[in-house]
Amino acid sequence: MTASLAFSILTYLLALGLGGFAVIHYARKRKPVLRSMGLTLNRWLPIDIAVGLAITFVAIGLVFVVELLLGVVAVQPGTLTWSSFASEVLVPLIQAAALEEFLFRVLLLSGVAILLSRLTHGRWIAVLLTAALFGAGHLGNDGATAVSAFGTGLGGVIYAVAFLATRSVWLPFGLHLGWNMAQGLFGFPISGNIVPGWFSTASTGPELLNGGAYGPEGGIPGMLARVLIIAMVFAYVKTRWPDGSIATLRFAPAPEKHGAVLQPTT
């Protein structure tokens, strides 16, 4: 067993344990367990996914243009076809994003956020801890380095912030799926993996600028794009909940207790 595989197994076991703790905690507090853990079904679901997709496609589009202008990637026509899109791009990326969001946000982050809830900045600490695990969990991927792990960890910050701010898994899922899909369609590696895209790119410059075989997360433009995404996420949630606090990461109201009358989110 490799070190990366052992780390992944331990992380998944930790996520399951903390997720189970969160389920018990919410059940004992007589709170709606599924909604408290972000598994909400409401009118914002398609909007959150669409916003996540739009934000990340804009960000990766900018990375593509910047790396072209810097001359650190060579671009050729891609191999994407309508027949390959669903089976080789859409379905695998949906599955990967759904699994990682369920493990790292719904289970792991929910549990860690509860444990640190008494601290003033406990939610931010939970974001950083789970993001670090998310980044380290990708060190076994092709082309991974300490730099790419940091860049991937920034992705963990994005998804964790979106999860806690909206109290829902759908915005982080849309962001996660959109980032991966946009990378693939623009011809970039997706954390070391290649899928058919509109373009095919090859590294022609320093890995610090293009991420090399790992993908944009391992390069400075990709990392700056992730910072931009965090800003856009805050702009979006501030639009929905103007009184929300970035300092405490509290925007969406807590789910109502059992038996309470639910009010629509505005």
XYZ file of all heavy atoms in Angstrom, residues 35-40 44 47-49 51-53 55-56 101 104-106 109-110 123-124 126-128 130-131 153-177 226 229-238 240-241 245-246 248-253:
593
model
N -30.848 18.639 6.378
C -30.693 20.053 6.035
C -29.558 20.698 6.830
O -28.861 21.586 6.336
C -32.000 20.807 6.250
C -33.025 20.499 5.163
C -34.231 21.403 5.206
N -35.097 21.095 6.338
C -35.312 21.887 7.371
N -34.740 23.080 7.414
N -36.108 21.539 8.351
N -29.338 20.261 8.060
C -28.253 20.801 8.862
C -26.896 20.424 8.290
O -25.901 21.134 8.503
C -28.360 20.294 10.309
O -29.539 20.783 10.928
N -26.835 19.310 7.550
C -25.588 18.861 6.939
C -25.494 19.246 5.470
O -24.658 18.729 4.733
C -25.431 17.360 7.130
C -25.337 16.962 8.599
S -25.063 15.222 8.865
C -23.365 15.051 8.286
N -26.336 20.182 5.053
C -26.214 20.743 3.721
C -26.945 20.026 2.619
O -26.854 20.417 1.451
N -27.668 18.970 2.950
C -28.387 18.206 1.930
C -29.803 18.750 1.797
O -30.784 18.111 2.173
C -28.384 16.716 2.292
C -26.986 16.092 2.361
C -27.058 14.657 2.875
C -26.307 16.132 0.993
N -29.888 19.951 1.272
C -31.162 20.659 1.157
C -31.719 20.540 -0.253
O -30.982 20.502 -1.236
C -30.981 22.150 1.494
O -29.997 22.695 0.609
C -30.526 22.334 2.925
N -33.295 27.124 -4.506
C -31.965 27.648 -4.772
C -31.027 26.597 -5.348
O -29.931 26.946 -5.805
C -31.361 28.223 -3.489
C -31.979 29.526 -3.095
C -32.931 29.733 -2.140
C -31.703 30.804 -3.673
N -33.263 31.055 -2.080
C -32.524 31.738 -3.012
C -30.851 31.250 -4.678
C -32.503 33.091 -3.334
C -30.824 32.594 -4.999
C -31.646 33.502 -4.326
N -30.069 27.185 -8.972
C -29.404 28.481 -9.066
C -27.978 28.387 -8.537
O -27.024 28.880 -9.160
C -30.202 29.559 -8.297
C -31.587 29.724 -8.908
C -29.440 30.884 -8.283
C -32.507 30.621 -8.115
N -27.808 27.732 -7.382
C -26.474 27.581 -6.805
C -25.547 26.806 -7.733
O -24.372 27.167 -7.913
C -26.564 26.870 -5.449
C -27.013 27.794 -4.326
O -27.020 29.020 -4.536
O -27.337 27.291 -3.240
N -26.047 25.722 -8.312
C -25.216 24.945 -9.235
C -24.845 25.777 -10.452
O -23.684 25.796 -10.890
C -25.930 23.647 -9.657
C -26.073 22.707 -8.449
C -25.166 22.944 -10.776
C -26.835 21.426 -8.747
N -24.678 29.066 -10.715
C -23.744 30.120 -10.319
C -22.339 29.540 -10.162
O -21.346 30.137 -10.609
C -24.207 30.796 -9.021
C -23.100 31.686 -8.443
C -25.452 31.631 -9.279
N -22.253 28.371 -9.528
C -20.952 27.722 -9.361
C -20.293 27.415 -10.689
O -19.090 27.658 -10.876
N -21.071 26.895 -11.632
C -20.538 26.602 -12.962
C -20.081 27.875 -13.666
O -18.995 27.920 -14.262
C -21.594 25.894 -13.803
C -21.973 24.461 -13.388
C -23.199 23.991 -14.162
C -20.810 23.508 -13.638
N -19.188 30.854 -12.400
C -18.020 31.465 -11.768
C -16.741 30.758 -12.188
O -15.736 31.393 -12.552
C -18.173 31.437 -10.232
C -19.205 32.466 -9.771
C -16.830 31.699 -9.550
C -19.511 32.410 -8.287
N -16.751 29.439 -12.160
C -15.520 28.697 -12.438
C -15.165 28.698 -13.916
O -13.982 28.712 -14.274
C -15.635 27.259 -11.906
O -16.923 26.707 -12.249
C -15.498 27.218 -10.401
N -17.337 16.144 -2.460
C -18.131 17.094 -1.677
C -18.849 16.403 -0.524
O -18.964 16.955 0.569
C -19.123 17.827 -2.574
C -18.481 18.838 -3.507
C -17.521 19.760 -2.785
O -17.924 20.392 -1.791
O -16.351 19.821 -3.192
N -15.766 15.433 2.019
C -14.993 16.527 2.606
C -15.856 17.646 3.170
O -15.424 18.324 4.111
C -14.017 17.096 1.573
C -12.795 16.246 1.370
C -12.750 15.294 0.368
C -11.693 16.390 2.196
C -11.624 14.504 0.181
C -10.562 15.609 2.029
C -10.527 14.659 1.013
N -17.003 17.907 2.611
C -17.838 18.988 3.107
C -19.003 18.472 3.960
O -19.128 18.808 5.135
C -18.350 19.846 1.945
C -17.584 21.124 1.774
C -16.086 20.954 1.512
N -15.797 20.381 0.198
C -14.555 20.159 -0.256
N -13.499 20.440 0.500
N -14.361 19.649 -1.464
N -19.869 17.622 3.408
C -21.050 17.160 4.140
C -20.644 16.411 5.410
O -21.214 16.640 6.485
C -21.928 16.268 3.242
C -23.079 15.660 4.047
C -22.474 17.078 2.071
N -16.323 18.363 7.058
C -16.438 19.762 7.480
C -17.568 19.959 8.474
O -17.435 20.746 9.422
C -16.637 20.658 6.261
C -16.755 22.164 6.524
C -15.556 22.691 7.291
C -16.918 22.925 5.209
N -18.676 19.258 8.289
C -19.786 19.377 9.249
C -19.325 19.014 10.651
O -19.610 19.726 11.625
C -20.951 18.481 8.833
O -21.582 18.961 7.667
N -15.201 28.555 12.511
C -15.560 28.134 11.158
C -14.395 28.316 10.193
O -14.176 27.481 9.320
C -16.782 28.911 10.672
C -18.074 28.471 11.347
C -19.286 29.078 10.685
N -20.462 28.248 10.915
C -21.509 28.191 10.120
N -21.533 28.911 9.008
N -22.530 27.413 10.392
N -13.645 29.404 10.341
C -12.489 29.617 9.489
C -11.405 28.576 9.767
O -10.732 28.092 8.849
C -11.935 31.021 9.672
C -12.581 32.038 8.782
C -13.407 33.059 9.151
C -12.452 32.136 7.365
N -13.812 33.781 8.061
C -13.238 33.244 6.944
C -11.764 31.397 6.409
C -13.339 33.626 5.616
C -11.868 31.774 5.075
C -12.640 32.868 4.688
N -11.972 25.565 10.778
C -12.484 24.337 10.161
C -12.250 24.342 8.657
O -11.892 23.318 8.065
C -13.974 24.181 10.469
N -12.445 25.507 8.040
C -12.195 25.635 6.598
C -10.744 25.305 6.279
O -10.444 24.514 5.368
C -12.535 27.058 6.110
C -11.949 27.317 4.726
C -14.040 27.268 6.078
N -9.817 25.898 7.027
C -8.394 25.717 6.737
C -7.934 24.292 7.013
O -7.139 23.721 6.240
C -7.576 26.712 7.555
C -7.819 28.193 7.233
C -6.995 29.086 8.152
C -7.491 28.493 5.775
N -9.757 21.444 6.962
C -10.290 20.502 5.967
C -9.715 20.774 4.584
O -9.522 19.848 3.788
C -11.821 20.553 5.927
O -12.270 21.897 5.650
C -12.417 20.097 7.261
N -9.403 22.041 4.275
C -8.783 22.361 2.997
C -7.379 21.774 2.914
O -6.950 21.301 1.849
C -8.734 23.877 2.797
N -5.479 22.856 -2.190
C -6.010 23.270 -0.895
C -6.808 24.559 -0.989
O -7.805 24.740 -0.276
N -6.393 25.466 -1.896
C -7.181 26.686 -2.114
C -8.576 26.330 -2.637
O -9.563 26.991 -2.311
C -6.477 27.605 -3.108
C -5.254 28.357 -2.599
C -4.621 29.167 -3.732
C -5.627 29.287 -1.444
N -8.633 25.276 -3.460
C -9.945 24.796 -3.893
C -10.766 24.321 -2.706
O -11.976 24.575 -2.632
N -10.111 23.636 -1.765
C -10.808 23.214 -0.557
C -11.344 24.387 0.231
O -12.428 24.313 0.827
N -10.601 25.505 0.241
C -11.082 26.728 0.905
C -12.341 27.231 0.202
O -13.333 27.583 0.852
C -9.990 27.809 0.901
C -10.561 29.145 1.399
C -8.812 27.391 1.759
N -12.316 27.260 -1.136
C -13.481 27.728 -1.903
C -14.716 26.924 -1.547
O -15.776 27.472 -1.210
C -13.221 27.602 -3.419
C -12.129 28.557 -3.873
C -14.501 27.865 -4.211
C -11.658 28.310 -5.297
N -14.606 25.600 -1.626
C -15.781 24.741 -1.439
C -16.261 24.772 0.015
O -17.469 24.740 0.268
C -15.450 23.304 -1.868
C -14.791 23.225 -3.223
C -13.743 22.341 -3.473
C -15.189 24.057 -4.265
C -13.121 22.274 -4.713
C -14.565 24.013 -5.505
C -13.535 23.117 -5.718
O -12.922 23.062 -6.944
N -15.316 24.864 0.955
C -15.706 24.915 2.365
C -16.411 26.229 2.697
O -17.417 26.244 3.413
C -14.474 24.726 3.256
N -15.882 27.336 2.176
C -16.521 28.644 2.395
C -17.930 28.635 1.809
O -18.898 29.087 2.447
C -15.672 29.761 1.762
C -16.490 31.046 1.622
C -14.428 30.021 2.597
N -18.067 28.117 0.592
C -19.381 28.074 -0.053
C -20.346 27.194 0.732
O -21.536 27.519 0.864
C -19.241 27.556 -1.477
N -19.853 26.100 1.269
C -20.694 25.174 2.034
C -21.198 25.819 3.321
O -22.395 25.782 3.627
C -19.906 23.905 2.349
C -20.671 22.879 3.141
C -21.574 22.032 2.518
C -20.489 22.753 4.510
C -22.283 21.083 3.245
C -21.185 21.818 5.249
C -22.092 20.972 4.610
N -20.287 26.397 4.085
C -20.691 26.987 5.366
C -21.524 28.250 5.169
O -22.447 28.513 5.938
C -19.454 27.298 6.207
C -18.673 26.084 6.714
C -17.445 26.528 7.503
C -19.543 25.172 7.576
N -21.213 29.043 4.153
C -21.954 30.281 3.935
C -23.389 30.015 3.515
O -24.314 30.709 3.960
C -21.249 31.136 2.880
N -23.603 29.019 2.670
C -24.956 28.726 2.176
C -25.662 27.652 2.987
O -26.858 27.447 2.815
C -24.910 28.265 0.709
O -24.146 27.056 0.615
C -24.294 29.330 -0.189
N -24.923 26.951 3.859
C -25.456 25.801 4.598
C -26.050 24.770 3.637
O -27.061 24.134 3.923
C -26.517 26.234 5.621
C -25.967 27.083 6.755
C -27.043 27.423 7.764
N -26.531 28.221 8.849
C -26.074 27.740 10.008
N -26.065 26.433 10.203
N -25.646 28.550 10.950
N -25.400 24.627 2.497
C -25.894 23.721 1.458
C -24.714 23.204 0.644
O -23.716 23.905 0.463
C -26.884 24.447 0.546
O -27.178 23.670 -0.597
N -24.837 21.988 0.133
C -23.766 21.381 -0.651
C -23.795 21.808 -2.112
O -22.834 21.586 -2.850
C -23.843 19.838 -0.547
C -24.998 19.283 -1.390
C -22.526 19.186 -0.964
N -24.877 22.463 -2.561
C -25.055 22.650 -4.001
C -24.149 23.705 -4.619
O -23.680 23.532 -5.750
C -26.530 22.933 -4.306
C -27.385 21.819 -3.810
C -28.340 21.876 -2.843
C -27.321 20.445 -4.231
N -28.893 20.630 -2.624
C -28.288 19.734 -3.468
C -26.563 19.745 -5.158
C -28.489 18.359 -3.616
C -26.766 18.376 -5.316
C -27.722 17.701 -4.544
N -23.870 24.804 -3.931
C -22.937 25.781 -4.475
C -21.522 25.197 -4.550
O -20.875 25.297 -5.604
C -22.951 27.081 -3.667
C -21.988 28.164 -4.156
C -22.276 28.561 -5.594
C -22.040 29.391 -3.241
N -21.010 24.573 -3.477
C -19.687 23.958 -3.619
C -19.648 22.857 -4.671
O -18.648 22.711 -5.378
C -19.389 23.398 -2.218
C -20.670 23.427 -1.482
C -21.483 24.517 -2.080
N -20.725 22.103 -4.817
C -20.754 21.078 -5.864
C -20.657 21.727 -7.248
O -19.896 21.269 -8.110
C -22.035 20.247 -5.761
C -22.240 19.317 -6.930
C -21.490 18.162 -7.055
C -23.169 19.614 -7.919
C -21.662 17.309 -8.146
C -23.352 18.767 -9.006
C -22.592 17.611 -9.112
N -21.415 22.799 -7.482
C -21.358 23.491 -8.759
C -19.984 24.071 -9.027
O -19.471 24.014 -10.152
N -19.352 24.642 -7.996
C -18.015 25.198 -8.137
C -16.989 24.106 -8.440
O -16.118 24.271 -9.300
C -17.623 25.932 -6.853
C -18.381 27.223 -6.549
C -18.221 27.606 -5.082
C -17.892 28.363 -7.446
N -17.100 22.998 -7.733
C -16.164 21.881 -7.901
C -16.304 21.263 -9.296
O -15.317 21.071 -10.011
C -16.452 20.831 -6.819
C -15.350 19.845 -6.620
N -15.153 19.176 -5.432
C -14.389 19.372 -7.461
C -14.121 18.368 -5.544
N -13.637 18.462 -6.777
N -17.541 20.971 -9.675
C -17.790 20.404 -10.997
C -17.364 21.383 -12.088
O -16.724 20.991 -13.083
C -19.273 20.061 -11.146
C -19.721 19.564 -12.532
C -19.015 18.266 -12.893
C -21.242 19.385 -12.561
N -8.257 31.065 -8.226
C -8.992 30.525 -7.085
C -9.259 31.619 -6.054
O -10.319 31.634 -5.420
C -8.215 29.353 -6.469
C -7.957 28.236 -7.471
C -7.770 26.892 -6.832
N -8.954 26.058 -7.077
C -8.948 24.740 -7.057
N -7.846 24.083 -6.804
N -10.042 24.054 -7.261
N -12.173 33.448 -7.356
C -13.409 32.690 -7.132
C -13.914 32.902 -5.709
O -15.116 33.070 -5.487
C -13.184 31.190 -7.417
C -12.979 30.967 -8.919
C -14.369 30.359 -6.922
C -12.545 29.550 -9.270
N -13.007 32.887 -4.740
C -13.422 33.122 -3.349
C -14.099 34.483 -3.233
O -15.149 34.618 -2.583
C -12.203 33.035 -2.403
C -11.664 31.600 -2.369
C -12.596 33.470 -0.987
C -10.351 31.461 -1.607
N -13.532 35.488 -3.887
C -14.131 36.824 -3.853
C -15.513 36.814 -4.492
O -16.456 37.446 -3.981
C -13.218 37.815 -4.566
N -15.669 36.109 -5.601
C -16.960 36.051 -6.282
C -17.984 35.278 -5.461
O -19.178 35.614 -5.453
C -16.796 35.444 -7.677
C -16.098 36.362 -8.658
S -16.209 35.821 -10.393
C -15.043 34.467 -10.392
N -17.538 34.252 -4.747
C -18.445 33.515 -3.866
C -18.971 34.431 -2.772
O -20.174 34.446 -2.468
C -17.738 32.281 -3.258
C -18.556 31.697 -2.106
C -17.509 31.215 -4.326
N -18.079 35.217 -2.169
C -18.522 36.149 -1.130
C -19.467 37.202 -1.700
O -20.446 37.599 -1.038
C -17.324 36.806 -0.456
C -16.709 35.971 0.628
C -15.352 35.697 0.624
C -17.486 35.450 1.652
C -14.780 34.922 1.622
C -16.929 34.673 2.662
C -15.570 34.408 2.642
N -19.201 37.662 -2.914
C -20.102 38.636 -3.534
C -21.487 38.034 -3.723
O -22.512 38.697 -3.497
C -19.534 39.090 -4.874
N -21.534 36.768 -4.130
C -22.817 36.084 -4.354
C -23.584 35.906 -3.048
O -24.774 36.231 -2.972
C -22.556 34.735 -5.014
C -23.773 33.849 -5.123
C -24.890 34.250 -5.846
C -23.800 32.603 -4.500
C -26.018 33.432 -5.943
C -24.913 31.778 -4.600
C -26.011 32.194 -5.310
O -27.123 31.379 -5.408
N -22.919 35.396 -2.004
C -23.647 35.142 -0.761
C -24.011 36.448 -0.065
O -25.030 36.524 0.629
C -22.859 34.204 0.184
C -22.680 32.832 -0.462
C -21.506 34.786 0.587
N -23.202 37.496 -0.266
C -23.549 38.798 0.304
C -24.794 39.371 -0.373
O -25.579 40.089 0.255
C -22.373 39.770 0.150
C -21.463 39.888 1.344
C -22.157 40.542 2.529
C -21.220 40.881 3.640
N -21.919 41.520 4.809
N -27.290 37.547 -1.416
C -28.425 36.800 -0.858
C -28.670 37.140 0.605
O -29.816 37.233 1.042
C -28.186 35.298 -1.012
C -28.401 34.790 -2.427
C -28.133 33.302 -2.546
N -28.984 32.483 -1.708
C -28.923 31.151 -1.655
N -28.047 30.501 -2.417
N -29.739 30.475 -0.874
N -27.606 37.310 1.372
C -27.723 37.586 2.806
C -26.855 38.798 3.145
O -25.726 38.661 3.618
C -27.281 36.372 3.623
C -28.098 35.141 3.352
C -29.383 34.888 3.756
C -27.690 33.992 2.598
N -29.790 33.660 3.313
C -28.788 33.083 2.598
C -26.514 33.637 1.937
C -28.724 31.852 1.950
C -26.453 32.423 1.287
C -27.549 31.535 1.302
N -21.771 37.658 7.723
C -20.451 38.075 8.198
C -19.354 37.212 7.589
O -19.362 35.988 7.753
C -20.388 37.979 9.726
O -19.065 38.120 10.195
N -18.398 37.852 6.910
C -17.243 37.122 6.390
C -16.351 36.675 7.545
O -15.774 35.587 7.521
C -16.452 38.002 5.409
C -17.296 38.275 4.154
C -15.126 37.344 5.024
C -16.638 39.213 3.151
N -17.083 35.645 10.535
C -17.557 34.430 11.211
C -18.098 33.385 10.244
O -18.485 32.297 10.662
C -18.662 34.780 12.225
O -19.774 35.382 11.527
C -18.152 35.745 13.278
N -18.131 33.717 8.964
C -18.648 32.815 7.920
C -20.093 32.406 8.201
O -20.467 31.252 7.987
C -17.771 31.566 7.794
C -16.623 31.658 6.798
C -15.856 30.342 6.740
C -17.121 32.037 5.417
N -20.881 33.348 8.647
C -22.300 33.077 8.903
C -23.141 33.956 7.981
O -23.146 35.170 8.110
C -22.659 33.322 10.364
C -21.949 32.359 11.303
C -22.406 32.470 12.740
N -21.672 31.560 13.604
C -21.964 30.273 13.758
N -23.002 29.770 13.113
N -21.238 29.514 14.551
N -23.847 33.299 7.070
C -24.693 33.991 6.103
C -26.103 33.409 6.133
O -27.033 34.057 6.595
C -24.088 33.895 4.698
C -22.856 34.719 4.517
C -21.607 34.216 4.854
C -22.935 36.009 4.016
C -20.462 34.979 4.692
C -21.797 36.791 3.844
C -20.561 36.270 4.200
N -26.279 32.210 5.623
C -27.598 31.584 5.608
C -28.059 31.282 7.035
O -27.248 30.913 7.888
C -27.558 30.286 4.801
N -29.354 31.456 7.323
C -29.859 31.145 8.660
C -29.804 29.650 8.932
O -29.823 28.831 8.005
C -31.311 31.643 8.617
C -31.674 31.603 7.167
C -30.422 31.944 6.417
